[in-house]
Amino acid sequence: MWFGSPQAIYIVCYFEEYKFWESDTNLKRLANDDYRALSLSGHVGFSSLPDQLVKKSISRGFCFNILCVGETGSGKSTLINSLFNATFDDPVSTHFLPEVKLRAQTYELQESNILLKLTIVNTVGFGDQIDKEDSYQPVVDYIDAQFDAYLQEELKIKRSLFSYHDTRIHVCLYFISPAGHSLKSLDLLTMRRLDSKVNIIPIIGKADSITKSELQNFKNKIMFELVSNGIQIYQFPTDDETVSKINAIMNGHMPFAVVGSNEKMQIGNKMVRVRQYPWGIVQVENENHCDFVKLRQMLICTNMEDLREQTHARHYELYRRCRLEEMAFRGIGPGNEPASPQEAYEAERSEFYLELQRKEKELRQQFVQRKREKAAKLKEEQQQLLAKYERQMQMLKEMDLKLEKKKKVLEDEIAMFLEKKANAELLQSQASISAPPVSLKEGKDHKKNQGFRLELLCFDIRDEEIVTVHEQSKREREKLERERNSPRGFPK
């Protein structure tokens, strides 16, 4: 049971038949160095804790992330293949990329019963641009992105760090070209930006291209320039008695001069990686030829776990502290007095709330103003549409009146035409009924005059006036009467 107050914290502890109270002063004394040692009378079993951790770690597996930084053609991919005795599918890159890109590839390697999830991050196009001022920035951004992803996983309410794939960079192998007599400005600038974010191990790639005396002078020159520019590289730990001696010796061999090769040759009874030249061969795993064996021993066999711990305890904690300070966990109150993170958070929250209210008020005013402007614009458009609608309706009415007049004229003409047609048909029928019979001779004369009669029965339209068939029939009957009354039936 816990009781708390601003003055003291008390613990109530129940033992077999008694209880006692301790003030916070005694608690501090007990927490520091006043422990009571007890001797066990028999085997308990907690000595198997290391074995349990080993079994758990083996079942879970390990992860190790390597960042290779160097110019194109410095031997990064070949060295990684030589380190792990494998061939990784890393495509060849060109020297004409417009910017630096990082290519990450993850592999699962198994040795004995140990599973290692290896991630290799290669810088493609590093140092190939004409303007190399910002060549380091993509590398820095990638490292920060991995730190931020891990921090976001830690800040989750339901987090699963045990199953989380840790992509934080554990070691940076920085490849130095042996072509020069000192470090380039790009190398110094990049390592200065990276030394607080990742464990840097400088490497001289393709060290077989210079002599041993030149190589040793080059190493000394590199270390002098690193110290002069305040660049901190990774130092193998010497606090562990089991590896302190070998680590101290290997710290004096940095930077490592290495040679990598994908070609193998049988020498004696063993297949070794070599590089063939007209004057002889260079054995990659021969310590007299290069420092490849030293690098692999220090990087993988001896200090891999220390690299992982340094990444988490030093570089990630530094990034985490800076990020939490940016998120208002500064521990300083409004008047620069010490304050707890909760108080700083509350003060920041109050400021943010006031700022949010101010922005909300501004947005509301802008919304009202835009709403008024939009309403006025819509009203104006509505009036324009109404005026246009009225004009269209007026034009439509005028067109309707014109069409009605035309329709009335056409109906009158149709009625007059039908009336005239009916009168003509009536007169024609009367004329055909009242026609008298004629003799054979008259029939012949009738045939001669048949065409004339047919013309008389047709309509004669002149100047839009119709001569009625009745008048024509009357003239024809008078003519026929005259012919009938004339002698011998000839016309007069």
Side-chain angles (χ1 to χ4, degrees):
M1 184 180 297
W2 292 84
F3 297 92
S5 66
Q7 291 79 17
I9 298 177
Y10 300 97
I11 298 179
V12 181
C13 301
Y14 291 90
F15 287 92
E16 294 178 354
E17 293 181 355
Y18 62 92
K19 60 183 179 179
F20 66 95
W21 297 72
E22 287 288 349
S23 64
D24 55 347
T25 304
N26 292 331
L27 285 176
K28 292 179 181 178
R29 180 175 55 81
L30 289 173
N32 290 332
D33 53 2
D34 192 5
Y35 296 105
R36 292 180 295 177
L38 297 178
S39 59
L40 303 178
S41 59
H43 177 71
V44 177
F46 57 81
S47 61
S48 64
L49 274 175
D51 298 333
Q52 297 176 28
L53 290 175
V54 169
K55 291 179 181 178
K56 189 174 182 180
S57 300
I58 291 175
S59 62
R60 188 188 308 158
F62 301 90
C63 68
F64 192 62
N65 307 320
I66 302 176
L67 172 63
C68 299
V69 181
E71 298 179 357
T72 305
S74 58
K76 301 186 293 296
S77 302
T78 305
L79 179 63
I80 294 298
N81 293 340
S82 303
L83 280 174
F84 293 94
N85 282 327
T87 302
F88 301 101
D89 50 346
D90 189 13
V92 180
S93 58
T94 64
H95 292 268
F96 304 102
L97 295 176
E99 59 183 6
V100 180
K101 296 182 180 179
L102 276 80
R103 183 168 55 212
Q105 295 176 327
T106 303
Y107 306 91
E108 287 188 357
L109 307 179
Q110 187 167 359
E111 186 177 27
S112 299
N113 61 337
I114 306 300
L115 180 65
L116 177 66
K117 187 176 291 185
L118 177 66
T119 300
I120 301 171
V121 183
N122 192 8
T123 54
V124 182
F126 182 80
D128 291 337
Q129 294 75 30
I130 297 177
D131 185 7
K132 302 179 177 64
E133 183 177 0
D134 296 331
S135 296
Y136 65 89
Q137 194 59 45
V139 183
V140 175
D141 293 341
Y142 180 84
I143 297 174
D144 289 342
Q146 311 315 308
F147 282 154
D148 188 69
Y150 192 86
L151 178 61
Q152 295 301 323
E153 183 66 25
E154 277 190 338
L155 295 177
K156 288 182 180 178
I157 297 177
K158 293 183 178 180
R159 55 186 181 178
S160 55
L161 295 176
F162 291 104
S163 60
Y164 176 74
H165 180 206
D166 187 6
T167 58
R168 295 173 297 177
I169 301 300
H170 299 128
V171 62
C172 171
L173 301 180
Y174 195 92
F175 287 75
I176 302 171
S177 176
H181 298 285
S182 61
L183 290 174
K184 300 179 181 179
S185 299
L186 176 62
D187 299 331
L188 294 173
L189 182 61
T190 303
M191 283 192 279
R192 187 182 296 113
R193 297 289 182 177
L194 296 180
D195 63 352
S196 61
K197 298 178 180 295
V198 68
N199 302 312
I200 300 177
I201 297 180
I203 293 175
I204 301 175
K206 296 184 178 181
D208 53 339
S209 60
I210 55 177
T211 63
K212 287 189 176 181
S213 59
E214 291 176 343
L215 183 60
Q216 188 60 42
N217 293 333
F218 190 39
K219 283 187 176 183
N220 296 335
K221 184 68 173 178
I222 289 173
M223 294 305 297
F224 176 76
E225 289 183 349
L226 292 176
V227 174
S228 300
N229 289 275
I231 299 174
Q232 298 180 359
I233 61 175
Y234 175 73
Q235 296 290 322
F236 301 116
T238 57
D239 52 354
D240 189 356
E241 295 180 357
T242 58
V243 294
S244 60
K245 185 177 181 179
I246 185 66
N247 282 348
I249 296 174
M250 290 304 168
N251 285 330
H253 283 280
M254 286 200 296
F256 294 108
V258 298
V259 177
S261 175
N262 294 325
E263 182 181 357
K264 292 184 178 181
M265 178 183 291
Q266 185 172 359
I267 299 178
N269 297 327
K270 186 178 179 182
M271 293 293 296
V272 296
R273 293 178 179 267
V274 299
R275 294 187 70 88
Q276 297 190 32
Y277 295 98
W279 46 263
I281 61 173
V282 176
Q283 298 181 23
V284 174
E285 298 181 6
N286 190 336
E287 295 190 31
N288 295 324
H289 294 178
C290 65
D291 298 333
F292 173 79
V293 175
K294 298 182 180 65
L295 173 64
R296 185 165 63 182
Q297 179 70 23
M298 292 294 100
L299 181 66
I300 300 175
C301 302
T302 306
N303 299 298
M304 180 182 285
E305 183 59 29
D306 184 73
L307 289 168
R308 288 157 44 90
E309 290 180 359
Q310 286 291 326
T311 299
H312 181 79
R314 179 186 171 191
H315 302 294
Y316 171 70
E317 287 299 325
L318 177 61
Y319 175 83
R320 179 177 176 274
R321 178 169 62 85
C322 295
R323 285 288 293 143
L324 292 179
E325 287 178 354
E326 292 177 2
M327 298 167 62
F329 291 95
R330 297 184 178 86
I332 299 175
N336 293 328
E337 70 275 5
S340 64
Q342 182 65 25
E343 293 175 353
Y345 172 76
E346 291 295 337
E348 188 73 17
R349 184 175 181 274
S350 301
E351 294 178 2
F352 176 76
Y353 184 71
L354 294 175
E355 182 69 17
L356 185 64
Q357 285 183 334
R358 184 184 64 80
K359 290 184 177 180
E360 183 180 1
K361 186 177 180 180
E362 292 179 357
L363 290 174
R364 191 180 297 276
Q365 292 176 355
Q366 293 178 4
F367 174 75
V368 172
Q369 182 66 23
R370 291 182 180 179
K371 184 179 178 182
R372 291 174 180 173
E373 294 176 357
K374 191 67 175 178
K377 186 176 180 181
L378 290 175
K379 187 175 181 180
E380 182 180 357
E381 291 179 354
Q382 184 180 7
Q383 293 176 354
Q384 293 177 358
L385 289 174
L386 287 174
K388 185 176 180 181
Y389 174 75
E390 291 177 356
R391 289 195 302 268
Q392 296 289 342
M393 290 298 296
Q394 185 67 25
M395 293 173 61
L396 184 62
K397 290 180 180 180
E398 293 177 358
M399 292 177 65
D400 287 341
L401 292 175
K402 292 181 180 179
L403 290 175
E404 287 292 336
K405 291 179 180 180
K406 291 183 179 180
K407 181 180 178 182
K408 187 175 181 181
V409 172
L410 290 175
E411 288 178 351
D412 295 340
E413 292 178 356
I414 291 172
M416 186 182 296
F417 176 78
L418 292 177
E419 183 180 358
K420 291 179 179 180
K421 181 181 178 182
N423 294 333
E425 290 178 352
L426 180 60
L427 293 175
Q428 183 179 2
S429 61
Q430 291 178 358
S432 60
I433 293 173
S434 61
V438 294
S439 61
L440 181 61
K441 184 178 181 179
E442 292 176 351
K444 292 179 179 180
D445 297 335
H446 178 72
K447 288 182 180 179
K448 293 179 180 179
N449 300 322
Q450 187 175 4
F452 179 75
R453 289 186 64 192
L454 288 175
E455 290 182 13
L456 295 175
L457 291 175
C458 295
F459 290 100
D460 188 8
I461 302 174
R462 297 183 182 91
D463 297 330
E464 298 182 359
E465 292 181 0
I466 303 175
V467 181
T468 59
V469 182
H470 178 71
E471 296 175 354
Q472 295 178 1
S473 300
K474 185 176 181 181
R475 296 192 196 99
E476 185 180 358
R477 283 196 301 271
E478 291 177 353
K479 187 177 181 180
L480 290 175
E481 287 293 335
R482 289 195 298 270
E483 290 177 355
R484 190 179 298 114
N485 296 326
S486 64
R488 295 183 183 182
F490 293 99
K492 293 182 179 180

